[in-house]
């Protein structure tokens, strides 16, 4: 069966999710769905992989692109699962062009060559910038081993402050100590707007990879 032919089990459904990068086992987004996994197997999709400035890879889907390895996970989820995950990742289905992540339905190829549909959080092509570097061979896993993401190099206090600042509305002020102010400024994570601090584009991107 495919994602759209989901088996309904009471209020729960079996649905397919292609995972990689920040969604792979041991990475930041894995705990968001790991307890829902019923089955998992190696699989691939077609596309190109970009390493974001924050350090994590995102796949831009392209049926003529490279075969990108990942995992096909069968999940048991409720109807609200995707909307909750969308919100956590900053994806707005009503305004997808504004989001870094795009949740899409993709044809996934299993190791035996069969195809099945699944959901994937890929890269919005409109958000690709000159600072996003293409992983030319598509091997995002080795790239993460060679160069750990910037997010993983931040101290806990940095991650906590970036997360809090990302949740601010309007002119809300989040207090900060002088030493951390200097550290986050040097990392180009925040910008001083006079009466308040705000996240830079790098800071906003980084906030999407925090748990």
């Amino acid at each position: 069966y495919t994602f759209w032919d989901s088996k309904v089990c009471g209020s729960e459904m079996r649905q397919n999710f292609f995972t990689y990068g920040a969604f792979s086992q041991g990475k930041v987004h894995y705990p968001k769905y790991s307890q829902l996994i019923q089955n998992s197997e190696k699989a691939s999709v077609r596309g190109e992989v970009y390493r974001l400035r924050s350090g994590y890879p995102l796949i831009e889907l392209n049926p003529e692109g490279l075969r990108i390895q990942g995992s096909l996970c069968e999940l048991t989820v409720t109807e609200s699962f995707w909307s909750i995950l969308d919100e956590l990742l900053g994806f707005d289905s009503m305004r997808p062009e504004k989001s870094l992540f795009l949740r899409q339905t993709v044809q996934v190829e299993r190791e035996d060559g069969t195809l099945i549909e699944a959901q994937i959080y890929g890269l919005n092509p409109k958000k690709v910038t000159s600072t996003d570097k293409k992983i030319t061979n598509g091997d995002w896993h080795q790239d993460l081993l060679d160069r750990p993401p910037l997010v993983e190099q931040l101290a806990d206090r940095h991650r906590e402050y970036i997360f809090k600042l990302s949740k601010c509305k309007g002119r809300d002020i989040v207090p900060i100590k002088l030493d951390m102010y200097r550290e986050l400024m040097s990392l180009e994570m925040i910008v001083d707007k006079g009466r308040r601090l705000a996240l830079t584009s790098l800071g906003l991107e980084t906030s999407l990879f925090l748990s």
Side-chain angles (χ1 to χ4, degrees):
Y1 63 96
T2 69
F3 179 86
W4 300 114
D5 298 324
S6 304
K7 293 179 179 178
V8 179
C9 309
S11 61
E12 297 180 333
M13 298 174 287
R14 293 288 182 90
Q15 300 188 340
N16 299 320
F17 186 26
F18 182 83
T19 65
Y20 68 98
F23 300 93
S24 59
Q25 188 170 359
K27 296 302 181 182
V28 62
H29 291 325
Y30 184 72
K32 294 179 173 65
Y33 70 91
S34 59
Q35 293 184 345
L36 307 176
I37 299 174
Q38 301 302 313
N39 296 293
S40 180
E41 60 185 274
K42 293 180 180 178
S44 62
V45 297
R46 294 282 182 174
E48 309 292 342
V49 188
Y50 288 86
R51 181 185 175 95
L52 305 181
R53 191 179 175 195
S54 57
Y56 271 111
L58 280 185
I59 296 174
E60 182 182 350
L61 294 177
N62 178 357
E64 305 300 322
L66 299 171
R67 180 177 292 178
I68 310 301
Q69 299 295 323
S71 296
L72 175 64
C73 297
E74 181 187 8
L75 309 180
T76 297
V77 301
T78 62
E79 291 183 1
S80 62
F81 170 74
W82 294 113
S83 59
I84 293 172
L85 196 53
D86 287 349
E87 184 176 353
L88 289 171
L89 298 175
F91 172 67
D92 185 347
S93 60
M94 301 301 292
R95 297 191 302 166
E97 72 282 354
K98 301 292 185 180
S99 307
L100 175 65
F101 288 101
L102 284 183
R103 178 161 61 83
Q104 302 164 282
T105 303
V106 64
Q107 287 284 334
V108 177
E109 184 174 346
R110 289 168 152 157
E111 289 198 302
D112 64 5
T114 59
L115 299 176
I116 188 169
E117 286 185 342
Q119 293 292 281
I120 184 175
Y121 283 97
L123 174 62
N124 182 353
K126 295 182 179 179
K127 294 294 185 177
V128 177
T129 71
S130 59
T131 60
D132 300 328
K133 305 302 182 183
K134 184 180 290 188
I135 302 175
T136 54
N137 64 358
D139 190 349
W140 58 265
H141 185 268
Q142 186 61 49
D143 189 77
L144 284 178
L145 291 176
D146 293 341
R147 298 182 296 162
L150 173 60
V151 177
E152 295 181 1
Q153 300 176 48
L154 295 174
D156 288 343
R157 66 182 188 280
H158 294 151
R159 289 194 287 267
E160 182 179 354
Y161 188 83
I162 291 168
F163 181 79
K164 286 182 179 179
L165 201 56
S166 72
K167 301 302 179 184
C168 284
K169 304 293 184 182
R171 295 188 174 277
D172 292 347
I173 296 175
V174 182
I176 188 172
K177 293 182 178 179
L178 182 59
D179 58 342
M180 189 159 65
Y181 170 87
R182 290 171 175 165
E183 291 163 359
L184 290 177
M185 287 290 286
S186 67
L187 291 169
E188 300 181 12
M189 291 286 176
I190 60 174
V191 60
D192 194 336
K193 293 193 171 182
R195 295 188 176 183
R196 68 185 181 91
L197 299 178
L199 294 175
T200 62
S201 58
L202 175 58
L204 287 169
E205 180 183 298
T206 300
S207 72
L208 298 175
F209 295 96
L210 299 174
S211 56

